[in-house]
Amino acid sequence: MGASGPDIAIVGAGIGGLTLALALRARGIDAEIHEQAPELREVGAAVALSANATRLLARLGLDEQLTAAGAEPTELIHRHWKDGRRIAAHPVGASYRERFGGPYLGVHRAAFQRILGDAWGSERLHLGAAVSGVTEDPTGAGPTGGDGGRVRLEFADGRSARADLVVGADGVHSAVRRRVTDEDVTVYSGTSGFRGLVPAEAMPSLPDPGAIQFWMGPGAHVLHYPIDSAGTVNFLAVVEGPQRWSEDTWRAEAAPGELLAAFDGWHPAIIEMLSGAPQSARWGLFGQAPLRRWSRGRAVLVGDAAHAMLPHHGQGANQTVEDAVTLADCLAGARAAGGSEAYDVALRRYERLRRVRTRQVQRSSWVTSGLLHLPDGPAAERRDRKLATVPADFGWIHAHDAGRAAAAAVAS
C-alpha cells in the first residue's frame, strides 16, 4: 500500500469505472483501470443524467463539458398513445435546477464517455484487458487485514496484475461479481426495447421536441428526450415480450418491421420517430434481484455489477455515479483513519450506504413498467390522475446527495 492509500484496480472503463477513478483522484488516491475493449466506447444511444448525478459530477469539474455536450429538457410530459394529449406535464429546466441543485441533462453516451475519458487520460488506463479471473493472493499483505494478501487479476491474454483492492465496474456480466457471489441475480422483465436517435426535423408531428416525454399505451410505451443542441432526439421503445429470453446476451436480432408493427395505430409522431432511424437490435430488459453482499475480501462492486435496474426512472447511470462517489469517500475516510481494519470498515460502510437506496430505486422502477403499459380504461385513468403528483412522489430520487451522505457516515 502506497502513501496515498491502497493500490486500487478498477475493472471496467464505463461510466462507473471512470467516475470512480476521477473521484479517487480528487481525494488523492491513485487507481489503475482495466478495460476489456480495445478502445473506449459506450453501448447504447444516450443517457439521462438527473441532479443526483450532475451535482456530483459538477464537484469533479465536469459540469461545463456536460452542459455543452448535452441538452436540458424543458418539461416532463406523459402523453396518450393515440391522440397525443398531455396527460400530465411538469416543468424541468430552471425550476428543476433550483429545486435539486443540479440540471437534468440528456447526453449521448459516446459524448459522456469521451468527457470522462478525457478527464482521466490514458496513463493509467489499460485497454484490451479482459479479466478472466479474480483470486485472493496470499503472498502479500494488503490494507484490509483479514485472511489473506492482495488480489490477483488474471487476464484472458495470460497477463496478471495485483492490487490491494479490486472494484468491479464491469457491468451486468461482471467477472468480479463471480468472485464476490455466486448468486444468479438477473431477472428478465418480460419486456424488451428498441433504441434510436432521430433528428427533430424528421418528426414534424412531434409536439414539444425539447421535452422528455413518455407516450403510454396498451402493452408498450415510448420514452424520448433531446440530447444535444442540434435537436437530436433519443428514444427507447418498450414492448411486451418475448415471454422468455433465450439469448446468451441482452441483445437479439428482430425481424424487419417488427418495431413498427408493434406500434401500429399509435400517434403519427411516434410512427415518424420509429421510422426515422434504422430498426435496432432488440434489447432484453433485465432487472436484478438485490445481492446479499456487494463485497468479499478485497473485491467490491459498483453500478450494474451490483444492481442492474430497469430504465423506467432513467436511474441506471445516476445510481452508478452515486456508487462511485460514495465508495471514493469511504476509501478516503479509511486512508485518513489508518490501521489494518480501516478498509474493511470502509467497504462495509459503502455497502450499508448504497444497498437500501438502490433497492428502493430498483423496486420503484419495476413497478413503473406495468403502469406504463395499461390499456385505456379505469386502471389507466387512476394512473393518469396519479401522474399529477410525480414531482412529489419521486423527488426523493433526485434530491439525494450521495456525497453528503457518505461524508456524514465517515465522520460519525
Side-chain angles (χ1 to χ4, degrees), residues 16 67 159-160 219:
T67 300
R159 294 182 298 115
S160 65

Side-chain angles (χ1 to χ4, degrees), residues 31-381:
E32 303 280 338
I33 306 178
H34 303 277
E35 166 58 44
Q36 66 177 346
E39 60 183 0
L40 287 187
R41 63 176 185 268
E42 268 289 354
V43 177
V47 60
L49 295 175
S50 49
N52 47 305
T54 58
R55 197 186 309 113
L56 303 177
L57 294 165
R59 293 172 192 163
L60 295 176
L62 303 178
D63 49 336
E64 290 186 8
Q65 299 98 305
L66 287 170
T67 300
E72 190 171 11
T74 55
E75 295 179 274
L76 167 63
I77 303 172
H78 288 81
R79 292 188 183 274
H80 185 268
W81 66 280
K82 190 168 187 177
D83 61 29
R85 69 179 182 273
R86 291 163 64 109
I87 294 169
H90 307 283
V92 184
S95 61
Y96 179 91
R97 290 197 309 274
E98 290 170 6
R99 179 181 178 190
F100 295 115
Y104 194 108
L105 297 173
V107 185
H108 196 294
R109 277 187 176 269
F112 189 22
Q113 176 95 2
R114 184 170 58 253
I115 289 168
L116 293 171
D118 288 348
W120 177 249
S122 59
E123 183 178 351
R124 294 179 176 269
L125 174 62
H126 309 282
L127 299 173
V131 173
S132 57
V134 181
T135 58
E136 295 285 341
D137 184 353
T139 60
T144 60
D147 58 355
R150 308 179 79 201
V151 180
R152 180 182 176 90
L153 296 176
E154 301 287 350
F155 298 99
D157 62 4
R159 294 182 298 115
S160 65
R162 289 180 174 83
D164 294 322
L165 297 170
V166 61
V167 181
D170 47 344
V172 293
H173 301 295
S174 171
V176 179
R177 189 173 63 220
R178 293 195 294 269
R179 170 62 190 169
V180 173
T181 178
D182 58 2
E183 296 176 74
D184 184 10
V185 293
T186 55
V187 182
Y188 174 53
S189 68
T191 60
S192 55
F194 296 80
R195 307 172 189 268
L197 299 172
V198 185
E201 58 265 25
M203 301 172 287
S205 302
L206 180 65
D208 304 302
I212 178 170
Q213 305 193 54
F214 286 91
W215 297 68
M216 306 175 295
H221 78 272
V222 177
L223 163 67
H224 63 85
Y225 51 87
I227 63 166
D228 59 28
S229 59
T232 306
V233 173
N234 171 75
F235 73 79
L236 170 64
V238 178
V239 299
E240 297 289 329
Q243 186 173 2
R244 291 189 175 187
W245 191 263
S246 58
E247 302 292 329
D248 292 334
T249 68
W250 288 26
R251 289 170 49 124
E253 294 304 315
E258 190 171 343
L259 172 59
L260 278 173
F263 290 87
D264 184 41
W266 283 54
H267 190 277
I270 294 300
I271 303 305
E272 292 168 358
M273 183 177 296
L274 304 185
S275 303
Q279 179 178 287
S280 73
R282 178 193 293 272
W283 293 71
L285 299 183
F286 285 74
Q288 184 168 300
L291 292 176
R292 287 192 292 269
R293 60 191 306 168
W294 286 30
S295 65
R296 179 184 177 191
R298 295 162 186 79
V300 62
L301 306 175
V302 300
D304 284 351
H307 51 67
M309 57 186 65
L310 296 179
H312 310 313
H313 284 321
Q315 280 296 306
N318 296 290
Q319 294 304 308
T320 297
V321 171
E322 287 189 16
D323 286 352
V325 169
T326 301
L327 181 56
D329 280 336
C330 289
L331 292 176
R335 179 193 57 186
S340 61
E341 300 297 323
Y343 289 96
D344 285 328
V345 172
L347 297 185
R348 290 196 297 269
R349 178 181 290 133
Y350 161 71
E351 184 172 340
R352 185 174 67 251
L353 284 167
R354 298 302 301 154
R355 281 181 65 185
V356 172
R357 164 83 170 157
T358 54
R359 285 182 181 186
Q360 290 172 332
V361 177
Q362 281 179 306
R363 187 180 304 115
S364 181
S365 185
W366 194 277
V367 171
T368 298
S369 178
L371 294 175
L372 294 171
H373 292 188
L374 294 173
D376 292 346
E381 292 169 5

